[in-house]
Amino acid sequence: MLQLEKLKNADKVVGTRRLLRAIASGEIREAYLALDADLFIARQVTDACRKASVPVIEVDTMKNLGAACGIDVKAAAAGIRK
């Protein structure tokens, strides 16, 4: 849960599509991925992070990741900008 505290106050990107774009353009320092996210989404995020050498931090649920990002809906993925 300490990892999620960093996410609350950081300059972040929330959402899979926005995160993938930001990873591709080299803007992300670390990515967060919910363990209950759709497998297709999880694979996209982990592949993009591996190619860009971005560490992936796993979060137990999409609900917790959304809450840590300060949004009222679930989030499958998020990232902290450099």
Side-chain angles (χ1 to χ4, degrees):
M1 282 310 211
L2 288 173
Q3 295 288 0
L4 290 180
E5 287 299 315
K6 277 200 299 188
L7 197 55
K8 286 183 180 177
N9 301 318
D11 180 15
K12 61 188 160 282
V13 175
V14 182
T16 306
R17 292 223 305 289
R18 291 179 63 200
L19 177 62
L20 290 172
R21 264 188 251 124
I23 291 169
S25 59
E27 299 173 39
I28 300 298
R29 181 171 14 115
E30 58 188 24
Y32 292 78
L33 180 64
L35 292 175
D36 61 344
D38 182 75
L39 189 58
F40 178 73
I41 290 170
R43 190 171 294 136
Q44 281 185 302
V45 172
T46 53
D47 287 350
C49 287
R50 191 177 311 115
K51 287 178 189 164
S53 299
V54 173
V56 177
I57 294 146
E58 294 179 334
V59 179
D60 53 354
T61 65
M62 294 189 335
K63 184 176 181 180
N64 287 346
L65 184 54
C69 291
I71 59 174
D72 295 329
V73 293
K74 297 176 181 178
I80 295 178
R81 293 184 199 269
K82 291 181 179 173

